[in-house]
Amino acid sequence: MSAPPITLKQLETIFWIANLGTFERAAMKLNTTQSAISKRIQELEMSVGTDLFDRSLRGARLTDKGEYLVRIASEML
């Protein structure tokens, strides 16, 4: 079974989390809930097959792969 495609909404979400610092602020910016933001990120992580945030630390700290995707998202947006 192949990975689901990456969506523009997912890239927009990771972009805003990276720029605003938290899932909560990104949710406010995107007029949605924090749980919807978390779900988008989980789906994005499934698509790329790796974690995009270091969950051992408090806050939204990107992994190297996460930082790479934010650069791609920045170019697209």
Side-chain angles (χ1 to χ4, degrees):
M1 185 172 163
S2 65
I6 295 172
T7 68
L8 188 55
K9 272 190 185 255
Q10 292 166 343
L11 291 176
E12 180 183 40
T13 300
I14 196 170
F15 172 84
W16 285 113
I17 294 168
N19 282 282
L20 298 175
T22 69
F23 283 44
E24 182 180 5
R25 288 186 203 135
M28 289 174 58
K29 172 71 178 175
L30 296 171
N31 265 347
T32 190
T33 64
Q34 188 171 341
S35 63
I37 294 296
S38 294
K39 186 173 190 309
R40 287 182 197 172
I41 294 302
Q42 287 175 337
E43 291 169 347
L44 181 57
E45 288 175 331
M46 285 178 45
S47 293
V48 298
T50 191
D51 289 340
L52 300 173
F53 289 92
D54 181 349
R55 287 171 173 80
S56 66
L57 304 170
R58 186 159 165 78
R61 173 118 185 174
L62 290 164
T63 63
D64 289 342
K65 183 73 169 195
E67 289 179 15
Y68 173 74
L69 276 178
V70 169
R71 286 194 299 273
I72 291 172
S74 295
E75 291 176 20
M76 293 181 74
L77 297 173

